[in-house]
Amino acid sequence: MRLELMYESFFKIVEGIPLTLQVVSISTILGIFLAVAVALMRISGNRLMSLPAYYFVYLIRGTPLLLQLYFVYYGLSQFEAIRESILWPILKEPYWCGIITLTISTGAYSSEIIRGGILSVSKNYIEASGALGLSQIKTFLLITLPITVRQALPAYGNELILMVKASSLISIVTLMEITGIARTIISKTYAPVEIFLVAGSIYLVINFIIVMFVNLAERRLGIEKAT
Amino acid sequence: MISALSTVAFADGHWSTIKIGTEGAYEPWNFTDSDGNLVGAELDLARDLCARMNAECEFVQQDWDGIIPALVNGKYDVIMAGMSVTEERKKTISFSKAYMTEPARFFALNSSPLSTFSSAKNLNLDDDGDSTSGTISALNNAMKGMNVGVTVATIHEDFANKYLDSNLKVYPTQDEMNLDLAAGRIDAMLCDVGTAEAFMETAGGSDVVTFGPNVFGGLLGEGVGAGIRQGDADLKAMFDKAIADAAADGTISKISMQWFGKDLAP
Amino acid sequence: MFDVFALGPTGWGDEMLMGAVMTVLVSSSSLLLGITLGIVFAACKLSNFFILRAIAEVYTTIIRGIPELLVIYLLFFGGSSAVMYLAKIFGYMGYIELNAFTIGTIAVGAISGAYSTEVIRGAVNSVPKGQFEVGKTLGLSGYSLYGKIIFPQVARIALPGIGNVWQITLKDTALISVTGLVEIMRQSRIAAGSTHEPFIFYTAAIILYLLITRLSNIFFDSAEKKYSKGYVSKEAL
């Protein structure tokens, strides 16, 4: 073990943390909107809505993220029609390709969590709310949504950790986040084990902090730990 | 578990089987054909060298970014993967004498303003005169702020880091950099001439043109050689001799003409 | 356009199919290793010994907290050295080679093991304590108790969870393409690079993964049915 090398590279690798966190948070926020839309489509009761949503989730959950990233980044850019479209300024950038891929992925996985949360809201509450004269939208915002959030939060915490881990793949499309910087250092020092140990520890700490925040949020929302 | 174990070297230093690590994504040096086989100039050369050394050759595919650590680790005994002999790499591994030499050059799309860039024909980094620094600064000015692609852990990445103020994009493989140059994600790429010419002959690379000088010398190294672990001096001696013989009897020139259409023999 | 998928030496069709076979092989052996590790570490987590519980906790926390890609790289570059170091302790001085398949299986198996541990632990916990007690009262022990009474129930409860772990394992094998093992992901990257047709090859890879997913879903569904004979499903209640 070259401890001095590990110490020196630590300070270089931490410079990748902002990009990792940025990509993860933007994708997570965009992903929530996508997830809610997909979840509502799936439980809509209208097959024209629920079937596409079902196949979307099946497609994303059934294929590796790495492949999805290659598809979005290299696969789409092969076509001149795409390179001349208004989408190109976005699809041209590895940064946005990374965010699009991660958003689609977390959107599909979280839609299942949210769907589970919505379905867990007892029909009695919704009927009671109707009896009290609340509109459908008010019922959703005041009754369904808060209960869903409480139900879905523990699973969603897991999803956040999966997102941080998944973001390491975007180094493959030239982005210099934690893993990208680690790979660059390895290409100069030829010490993969030492450098990846440093990078791995950084991910571990980030995920540990996320777990603490999720636990805090769960406690504030009065969710009992289901262990 | 037993089948995963194998002993490679005999105690007396005689190498009966030699494992050769290569990338398989660097046409025409070493690449994978549509039958899934590793082919290319270095594969042909390796087979010839092994015959000269009376050794059995076995090829192992390894991604470029891990190709030196995996040699040091013992996953194979020799690297033949278009790898230039450089002072920097010699700190970690040793090299046989060079078996081929090929300069580096810049490439862009023919629609790019860079395609009309004109300069001296050669840029020899060992020559530290005014013309060298003049050519470098002209190149640097032309590409300032542009996206320039190189592949990871190469002499080309070292060159770009040292001399260019461009926005560097570092790719895991040449193939993927080719795709991005064709798609217009990068404005220029720096790589060795042979591999870019192979790309330019395909449909995907038909819009690619070269610009700027032939770049060689200095941190670009002393030509392409076989990477060998520092402890294996006997193996290095065997390769040195076999390469010298193959150069002397014209085998290297023949293989080079076949794959590159020109003679890269040292 | 589909010439590129011709079988035989001119096209990539047979290579892509071989890649799919390799994906299934390495996923299956990883899952087997994963379940084995899962049983061992679930037993550790359920044991009365603090040390065993701590070891299992550290294992699952680390594997689940760092990116799969890094786990694979670490085992790929560190694995051989670690094995050789251990071998030296036992007096073996030669070089030990772990091929790409072995390394891939160990790496993905280790990841799969962390998820299996949680699934199996959950399943064991959900077998009512009374069953163990009744079994012991009846004088059963060892194989009769665990093999005939506890295991079938754990298997039934754990099966859907193992199905999920299989899905994770299958997808994680795409990452071992970095070790040189030619499975679907690596094969499609090679073909995409060589032909400059990334779209069609990545689409083909997506279809192959979905096919494997579909077939394995059918397998797990029928296994679930087989093991839940005599049980009323929750939805029916």
Side-chain angles (χ1 to χ4, degrees):
Chain A
M1 284 292 156
R2 294 149 69 180
L3 288 178
E4 198 176 323
L5 174 67
M6 291 171 81
Y7 178 78
E8 280 166 17
S9 41
F10 172 79
F11 293 100
K12 289 185 200 149
I13 297 175
V14 289
E15 286 172 23
I17 295 178
L19 183 58
T20 294
L21 294 183
Q22 199 183 64
V23 168
V24 168
S25 33
I26 294 177
S27 322
T28 303
I29 292 165
L30 294 176
I32 291 174
F33 288 104
L34 180 62
V36 171
V38 173
L40 291 177
M41 280 169 76
R42 280 216 52 191
I43 56 174
S44 64
N46 177 348
R47 284 175 74 81
L48 278 178
M49 304 273 269
S50 65
L51 269 187
Y54 171 81
Y55 283 116
F56 167 72
V57 174
Y58 194 89
L59 171 73
I60 300 303
R61 299 203 342 166
T63 51
L65 183 67
L66 183 63
L67 178 56
Q68 295 163 11
L69 182 61
Y70 274 115
F71 183 85
V72 169
Y73 188 79
Y74 290 112
L76 294 182
S77 68
Q78 189 188 334
F79 296 102
E80 219 164 319
I82 288 188
R83 296 206 299 268
E84 277 158 12
S85 74
I86 47 162
L87 290 175
W88 185 238
I90 293 172
L91 285 174
K92 190 181 172 188
E93 296 300 327
Y95 178 79
W96 288 109
C97 285
I99 287 178
I100 289 170
T101 313
L102 287 173
T103 300
I104 290 174
S105 167
T106 184
Y109 283 92
S110 328
S111 78
E112 289 293 279
I113 299 172
I114 292 172
R115 188 173 70 105
I118 294 177
L119 291 179
S120 75
V121 179
S122 161
K123 286 222 169 63
N124 295 343
Y125 292 154
I126 294 169
E127 278 164 16
S129 146
L132 288 171
L134 266 69
S135 72
Q136 268 196 344
I137 292 174
K138 271 197 168 167
T139 305
F140 182 77
L141 289 178
L142 296 176
I143 314 283
T144 312
L145 194 64
I147 299 176
T148 303
V149 169
R150 274 179 57 167
Q151 287 290 338
L153 197 62
Y156 198 72
N158 258 337
E159 176 59 24
L160 282 178
I161 289 169
L162 291 178
M163 279 290 278
V164 171
K165 297 203 293 176
S167 71
S168 69
L169 295 182
I170 61 174
S171 64
I172 286 171
V173 292
T174 73
L175 288 174
M176 285 296 148
E177 39 62 80
I178 297 173
T179 308
I181 295 178
R183 293 168 90 129
T184 313
I185 299 175
I186 290 164
S187 73
K188 305 248 161 13
T189 59
Y190 312 117
V193 174
E194 285 89 341
I195 306 298
F196 280 136
L197 278 178
V198 174
S201 317
I202 293 174
Y203 281 107
L204 213 52
V205 171
I206 293 176
N207 284 332
F208 185 73
I209 294 170
I210 291 178
V211 169
M212 290 209 314
F213 272 110
V214 172
N215 284 347
L216 195 75
E218 283 175 19
R219 228 174 297 141
R220 291 202 58 169
L221 291 173
I223 299 168
E224 299 256 333
K225 260 253 181 249
T227 41
Chain B
M1 201 60 189
I2 300 298
S3 65
L5 311 178
S6 74
T7 316
V8 179
F10 289 87
D12 62 357
H14 174 73
W15 294 75
S16 62
T17 43
I18 300 172
K19 284 194 176 174
I20 299 179
T22 195
E23 188 199 0
Y26 200 53
E27 196 175 349
W29 296 88
N30 58 79
F31 59 105
T32 313
D33 72 6
S34 62
D35 214 11
N37 300 316
L38 285 168
V39 291
E42 287 175 311
L43 280 291
D44 285 357
L45 178 61
R47 283 189 200 99
D48 178 82
L49 297 178
C50 287
R52 288 172 200 272
M53 295 182 284
N54 289 320
E56 195 88 26
C57 265
E58 196 185 308
F59 295 100
V60 181
Q61 226 174 328
Q62 166 64 46
D63 280 356
W64 177 260
D65 63 353
I67 208 157
I68 289 183
L71 172 75
V72 175
N73 235 294
K75 290 201 180 295
Y76 36 77
D77 312 303
V78 176
I79 298 171
M80 287 181 78
M83 181 178 277
S84 300
V85 182
T86 65
E87 290 307 317
E88 198 54 38
R89 289 179 181 139
K90 278 188 191 163
K91 290 177 190 162
T92 313
I93 58 174
S94 71
F95 282 94
S96 72
K97 60 187 294 184
Y99 48 77
M100 289 184 187
T101 54
E102 175 74 328
R105 222 188 281 153
F106 286 94
F107 296 83
L109 291 181
N110 56 16
S111 55
S112 157
L114 290 172
S115 63
T116 57
F117 178 87
S118 70
S119 72
K121 192 166 173 293
N122 288 320
L123 172 59
N124 180 354
L125 298 174
D126 286 327
D127 174 3
D128 43 14
D130 286 347
S131 73
T132 305
S133 51
T135 310
I136 290 174
S137 68
L139 278 169
N140 189 23
N141 283 332
M143 287 182 283
K144 210 162 246 168
M146 288 186 170
N147 291 329
V148 175
V150 287
T151 43
V152 67
T154 54
I155 51 178
H156 315 113
E157 186 188 3
D158 296 339
F159 177 92
N161 273 327
K162 182 161 179 194
Y163 297 113
L164 301 181
D165 299 317
S166 311
N167 189 9
L168 264 204
K169 298 277 173 194
V170 183
Y171 288 86
T173 67
Q174 177 76 34
D175 280 341
E176 280 154 358
M177 181 160 76
N178 288 341
L179 289 173
D180 263 9
L181 180 68
R185 278 207 182 97
I186 48 176
D187 302 294
M189 70 178 182
L190 175 64
C191 61
D192 82 59
V193 176
T195 195
E197 280 174 348
F199 174 54
M200 287 157 73
E201 278 168 24
T202 64
S206 54
D207 295 337
V208 174
V209 292
T210 180
F211 69 95
N214 286 317
V215 193
F216 53 89
L219 53 68
L220 294 194
E222 308 144 29
V224 172
I228 297 166
R229 274 185 299 274
Q230 282 175 340
D232 294 336
D234 51 343
L235 190 59
K236 173 178 153 47
M238 284 165 65
F239 265 84
D240 281 344
K241 181 170 183 308
I243 289 167
D245 291 349
D249 70 12
T251 308
I252 294 183
S253 302
K254 202 183 98 217
I255 292 173
S256 167
M257 287 305 292
Q258 184 197 334
W259 289 99
F260 292 89
K262 57 189 172 184
D263 189 358
L264 306 185
Chain C
M1 183 164 182
F2 291 98
D3 299 353
V4 290
F5 290 121
L7 301 177
T10 54
W12 294 88
D14 46 341
E15 281 72 30
M16 290 294 287
L17 290 177
M18 282 309 293
V21 170
M22 184 54 87
T23 292
V24 171
L25 284 178
V26 75
S27 306
S28 314
S29 52
S30 302
L31 184 72
L32 277 181
L33 176 63
I35 292 175
T36 313
L37 290 174
I39 292 172
V40 171
F41 284 104
C44 287
K45 283 203 171 182
L46 294 166
S47 90
N48 295 321
F49 297 104
F50 172 77
I51 288 289
L52 291 182
R53 287 203 307 272
I55 290 173
E57 203 57 49
V58 167
Y59 163 68
T60 52
T61 307
I62 287 183
I63 296 282
R64 292 168 50 164
I66 72 175
E68 291 79 1
L69 189 66
L70 293 195
V71 175
I72 289 165
Y73 271 125
L74 279 171
L75 284 167
F76 180 62
F77 288 113
S80 300
S81 323
V83 170
M84 273 189 276
Y85 181 77
L86 286 177
K88 258 182 203 153
I89 296 176
F90 292 103
Y92 181 81
M93 298 306 283
Y95 176 73
I96 297 173
E97 155 80 8
L98 296 177
N99 61 27
F101 188 91
T102 316
I103 290 274
T105 301
I106 293 173
V108 179
I111 297 166
S112 171
Y115 292 98
S116 306
T117 301
E118 301 302 335
V119 169
I120 293 168
R121 186 181 65 140
V124 174
N125 272 339
S126 66
V127 175
K129 284 244 162 57
Q131 304 235 358
F132 292 88
E133 284 154 20
V134 170
K136 280 178 189 148
T137 318
L138 291 172
L140 297 177
S141 66
Y143 175 74
S144 329
L145 175 62
Y146 287 95
K148 291 201 167 154
I149 302 200
I150 307 299
F151 176 75
Q153 302 191 61
V154 171
R156 179 181 63 86
I157 300 165
L159 207 53
I162 295 293
N164 281 337
V165 175
W166 162 258
Q167 193 63 52
I168 294 172
T169 306
L170 174 66
K171 287 186 288 178
D172 280 347
T173 60
L175 299 175
I176 54 179
S177 60
V178 297
T179 66
L181 188 74
V182 186
E183 37 63 74
I184 298 177
M185 188 68 233
R186 188 176 185 88
Q187 190 64 71
S188 52
R189 259 183 91 183
I190 294 171
S194 168
T195 58
H196 308 115
E197 295 273 4
F199 180 82
I200 190 159
F201 280 102
Y202 293 139
T203 305
I206 287 173
I207 292 170
L208 286 173
Y209 277 110
L210 289 179
L211 264 177
I212 298 174
T213 302
R214 183 81 200 104
L215 292 176
S216 41
N217 282 350
I218 294 173
F219 171 79
F220 276 102
D221 285 350
S222 69
E224 263 175 57
K225 275 210 192 88
K226 191 181 155 208
Y227 274 100
S228 7
K229 268 185 197 151
Y231 286 92
V232 183
S233 79
K234 264 190 185 157
E235 287 90 66
L237 284 173

